[in-house]
Amino acid sequence: MLILFNHDLLSRDEATIDIEDRGYQFGDGVYEVIRIYNGVFFELEAHLDRLERSAGEIKIALPFNQEELKANLEKLIEQDPVQSGHVYMQVTRGVAPRNHPFPAQADPVFVAYTKEYETEPSRAPGRAVFTEDIRWLRCDIKSLNLLGNVLAKQFANEQNVDEAIFHRGEWITEGSSTNVFIVKNKTLYTHPANHLILDGITRRVVLSIANDLGIKVKEEAFTKQDLLESDEVFISSTTQEVRPIVEVDGVRIADGKEGELTASIHAEFTGRLS
Ligand code: PDD
């Protein structure tokens, strides 16, 4: 495994993280996951723009510009080739004696490495459970603080289902690591991209596909009840692409099969992969 560590390509043993790295002690950093299909990054620029935005929102200045980062990532997959997988990257505020305020002096620490999939993530119809969204109110930042998401996914695992769907009171926000869509009367609904969700790159691709297919879209919040009474439910993410959800909290959605619009959006999505 090769690690892109700031500007250098290092072996895993050479790439060491200081115990006073603020990412390690405070979760003080942001991250991205970018899918690789046939050795090519999917939606690279959108992910790098989002990384820059997330970092900017917590006042971390990236130690490179986008062109330099792109070149370094290309070098990484040239030297550590991946056919189907992803690259994970994170940047933290850097190393400084533990103290909550930003340190006067710290250099951001950037790390990226790839993962080749041994088996493709499942896109088979899945099941989900609801769970209260206990996260902070800046879910638009792709922060390293994932405890709320981790606890929700663990809850889903313990129920033997695939995803936990967050709600604030009655209102659905997103999944523990996915965005959530429903279809009702041929209209596609998903939570607006505000501070309560991560504006998923796959979500944006789905919305653009829906637009191309002439599907009516409403970026509006919907309730748990709306979801349970909808015609179709699906989730989207970099790793899970577009995945139908056919049961939530033990309640079957419509006829319990992948819906028609979900299938056509997924087919178009697959067609867009390089
Ligand atoms: N998760 N919402 C949350 C909370 C997420 O963590 C993710 C992605 C998404 C979907 O975003 P995108 O389409 O850009 O992947 C929505 C990544 C894959 C992860 O943490 O592994």
Side-chain angles (χ1 to χ4, degrees):
M1 180 194 269
L2 273 182
I3 315 285
L4 176 59
F5 195 92
N6 291 332
H7 288 279
D8 303 318
L9 284 180
L10 305 178
S11 71
R12 186 169 181 165
D13 290 345
E14 290 169 316
T16 54
I17 301 293
D18 194 285
I19 56 161
E20 286 189 321
D21 187 297
R22 290 180 60 97
Y24 181 57
Q25 295 192 324
F26 292 110
D28 188 357
V30 294
Y31 77 104
E32 276 296 326
V33 183
I34 310 178
R35 197 63 170 82
I36 301 167
Y37 294 103
N38 301 318
V40 178
F41 296 114
F42 182 64
E43 294 287 324
L44 178 60
E45 278 178 14
H47 282 281
L48 298 187
D49 285 347
R50 190 173 63 183
L51 179 70
E52 213 165 65
R53 178 186 180 276
S54 292
E57 289 298 305
I58 63 166
K59 301 188 172 62
I60 290 180
L62 296 180
F64 32 64
N65 65 34
Q66 252 195 49
E67 287 315 306
E68 289 170 319
L69 176 54
K70 252 192 226 170
N72 282 341
L73 290 173
E74 294 296 347
K75 239 189 315 180
L76 176 67
I77 60 167
E78 204 178 281
Q79 302 213 10
D80 200 4
V82 173
Q83 273 308 298
S84 175
H86 68 234
V87 61
Y88 172 82
M89 64 186 78
Q90 66 170 52
V91 60
T92 71
R93 197 175 305 280
V95 178
R98 187 180 182 282
N99 195 12
H100 286 66
F102 297 170
Q105 174 53 40
D107 297 323
V109 175
F110 176 89
V111 166
Y113 61 92
T114 59
K115 178 178 166 62
E116 174 99 48
Y117 294 158
E118 282 158 28
T119 50
E120 291 291 312
S122 174
R123 271 142 228 145
R127 296 182 300 140
V129 280
F130 288 133
T131 190
E132 184 69 38
D133 195 342
I134 58 164
R135 300 172 303 161
W136 71 332
L137 296 173
R138 288 304 308 274
C139 298
D140 55 308
I141 298 171
K142 206 160 168 55
S143 151
L144 292 178
N145 290 275
L146 287 175
L147 208 41
N149 309 64
V150 166
L151 292 176
K153 189 72 97 187
Q154 177 62 19
F155 176 63
N157 277 2
E158 285 165 7
Q159 320 284 312
N160 276 317
V161 300
D162 306 283
E163 181 58 306
I165 296 179
F166 284 126
H167 55 91
R168 288 190 189 267
E170 288 309 303
W171 299 96
I172 301 295
T173 51
E174 62 180 339
S176 72
S177 65
T178 58
N179 291 112
V180 177
F181 295 77
I182 64 170
V183 176
K184 184 75 183 173
N185 299 330
K186 307 273 178 221
T187 300
L188 184 63
Y189 294 83
T190 195
H191 196 284
N194 60 17
H195 62 291
L196 297 180
I197 68 159
L198 182 74
D199 183 7
I201 305 303
T202 323
R203 173 187 181 280
R204 295 187 207 161
V205 174
V206 165
L207 293 177
S208 134
I209 289 173
N211 193 44
D212 289 355
L213 295 177
I215 298 168
K216 194 167 167 199
V217 173
K218 288 195 178 173
E219 289 183 69
E220 278 176 16
F222 49 86
T223 65
K224 285 160 73 179
Q225 198 59 29
D226 293 333
L227 183 146
L228 293 175
E229 291 171 358
S230 66
D231 304 323
E232 305 181 25
V233 178
F234 67 87
I235 54 177
S236 74
S237 80
T238 293
T239 44
Q240 301 202 60
E241 301 179 347
V242 172
R243 183 171 187 191
I245 294 293
V246 294
E247 189 190 296
V248 179
D249 261 7
V251 176
R252 200 174 68 176
I253 306 299
D255 64 0
K257 300 203 180 85
E258 175 171 19
E260 222 175 277
L261 289 193
T262 307
S264 51
I265 289 169
H266 193 190
E268 181 66 25
F269 184 90
T270 308
R272 287 194 183 194
L273 306 179
S274 41

